[in-house]
Amino acid sequence: MKLKRKKILVASILGAVSLCLCVLSCQDQWENSQTATGRSTGKNMELTLTVAQQWYEANYAPVVSMRSALDIGGTGTLVKHDWSNGKESRRGRYEVVETPIKTRGNHLVMDPETAQHFDPANPDKAIRNTVRMITMKDIVTQEVRSFIMIFVGSYDYLKNTKNMGRNSYLYRESDYDGAVLFYEPNGEFING
């Protein structure tokens, strides 16, 4: 009888441990899927599209002139948010609003290898970059800032991906290969 109770007790403990491991594994998979998408399940609580637009326009002109090193003495490229296509995302203590930017004319940023394969007379649709204006709020410190982010994919990445546009400030495709550059709204380089 004692042996039977011990077997039942051991089986119960093993069953409980197995159940706990299964629950923890499912929870890890759910959390990893949230991280993999780069977005939480809900909308931003504090930095919504409307709040980001109001903050940006209170701190910057709606259209800014972004200068580059190649634009010495020029007027720069006029840049503005495309608020109608903005997206909200959040992760941890950060809430982010990303908007595509509008410019007059087309502008390509590419790495040297991609530039070697680029033919301006016959532009390859696979050669592209992703440029977004980021407005970010740190929920802990309440600091809000805005900057331009440019994804410059490597030639091999651009040849083989259809997901360049899925890369964002809070999420990178697992196979992303290339540079991510950050600029002040006026074009001053921050880092990358």
Side-chain angles (χ1 to χ4, degrees):
M1 196 81 150
K2 265 186 168 182
L3 187 59
K4 190 175 181 181
R5 280 192 222 177
K6 281 185 180 180
K7 285 182 180 180
I8 291 173
L9 180 61
V10 169
S12 297
I13 290 172
L14 287 175
V17 168
S18 297
L19 180 62
C20 287
L21 289 175
C22 181
V23 167
L24 288 173
S25 174
C26 292
Q27 181 181 3
D28 286 345
Q29 288 177 356
W30 184 81
E31 288 173 354
N32 288 339
S33 72
Q34 295 299 333
T35 302
T37 63
R39 291 169 174 78
S40 65
T41 55
K43 293 275 188 185
N44 288 358
M45 302 300 289
E46 295 181 26
L47 188 68
T48 62
L49 269 163
T50 303
V51 170
Q53 183 175 7
Q54 290 169 350
W55 179 88
Y56 184 86
E57 291 175 355
N59 290 280
Y60 297 97
V63 177
V64 294
S65 178
M66 183 176 176
R67 298 181 187 277
S68 72
L70 302 174
D71 189 36
I72 298 171
T75 59
T77 301
L78 297 179
V79 174
K80 71 178 187 174
H81 282 271
D82 180 5
W83 292 107
S84 63
N85 289 307
K87 298 203 181 331
E88 298 175 9
S89 59
R90 63 181 175 167
R91 181 181 292 158
R93 64 192 266 182
Y94 299 103
E95 290 189 346
V96 173
V97 171
E98 295 186 35
T99 63
I101 61 171
K102 293 181 179 182
T103 64
R104 181 168 289 168
N106 293 326
H107 305 278
L108 288 175
V109 179
M110 58 187 87
D111 69 358
E113 183 182 5
T114 306
Q116 288 177 346
H117 293 91
F118 181 70
D119 177 10
N122 186 19
D124 182 357
K125 291 182 182 180
I127 297 177
R128 64 202 173 282
N129 53 348
T130 299
V131 180
R132 294 196 183 101
M133 186 74 79
I134 307 298
T135 304
M136 178 179 74
K137 181 172 187 175
D138 182 329
I139 301 302
V140 174
T141 65
Q142 297 296 301
E143 178 187 13
V144 180
R145 63 181 306 214
S146 195
F147 48 89
I148 294 172
M149 174 185 68
I150 304 175
F151 282 92
V152 183
S154 69
Y155 180 69
D156 288 335
Y157 177 76
L158 293 172
K159 274 190 341 186
N160 297 312
T161 191
K162 295 181 192 267
N163 297 327
M164 181 64 163
R166 290 187 58 189
N167 293 300
S168 69
Y169 183 73
L170 296 177
Y171 170 75
R172 306 283 187 313
E173 286 289 313
S174 61
D175 65 339
Y176 179 72
D177 182 41
V180 183
L181 307 172
F182 299 95
Y183 295 87
E184 293 289 347
N186 67 2
E188 183 180 329
F189 182 71
I190 301 171
N191 66 36

